[in-house]
Amino acid sequence: APEMDLSYRSTISIYKSILEQFNPALENLVYLGNNYLRAFHALSKAAEVYFKAIEKIGEQALQSSNSHMLGEILVQMSDTQRLLSSDLEVVAQTFHVDLLQHMEKNTKMDVQFISVSE
C-alpha cells in the first residue's frame, strides 16, 4: 500500500534526523569513555607499582623495633589501596561492558540500519 510506504519513508527520515542530531554526541561519549578507561587502567598499573613499593618499605620497617609502627601504617595503606583498586576495577569493567560497548554497538547498528533502509 502506498500509504504504508509513505509512512515507512517518513519514519525512516525522522529516525535519520534524530540520528544525525544525536549520533555524533553518542560517538563522542563512547570516545571519551574509552579514553577514560585507558587512563584509568594506566593509573591502576601505576598505583599497583607504587603501593607495592610502599608495602616493601613497610615490611622492612616492621623488622626494626623503632620503625614498627610506621611499618604497620605503610602495610595497611598498601592493603587498603589494593582493595580500593580492585573495587574500582570492577566498576570500570562493568562501565565498559554494560554501557560503552553497548552504546558503541548501537550507534554502529543505527547507522547501518539507516544506510540499508534508504
Side-chain angles (χ1 to χ4, degrees), residues 10-23 114-115 118:
S10 69
T11 303
I12 289 296
S13 80
I14 289 166
Y15 192 42
K16 188 181 179 193
S17 71
I18 290 170
L19 250 190
E20 282 168 353
Q21 212 174 332
F22 291 107
N23 211 36
I114 287 297
S115 58
E118 284 185 302

Side-chain angles (χ1 to χ4, degrees), residues 43-102:
L43 174 69
S44 234
K45 278 201 182 80
E48 196 184 328
V49 172
Y50 177 64
F51 284 98
K52 222 170 238 165
I54 283 183
E55 187 179 37
K56 263 205 182 89
I57 294 168
E59 282 166 356
Q60 285 171 350
L62 282 174
Q63 305 307 311
S64 84
S65 55
N66 60 343
S67 304
H68 199 271
M69 185 72 164
L70 175 67
E72 281 179 5
I73 291 167
L74 292 177
V75 170
Q76 184 64 53
M77 271 174 65
S78 182
D79 288 347
T80 305
Q81 176 59 32
R82 196 166 287 132
L83 288 172
L84 189 62
S85 279
S86 68
D87 285 352
L88 284 174
E89 199 66 56
V90 171
V91 172
Q93 195 52 39
T94 307
F95 170 64
H96 178 61
V97 173
D98 292 355
L99 185 69
L100 272 184
Q101 284 185 342
H102 199 62

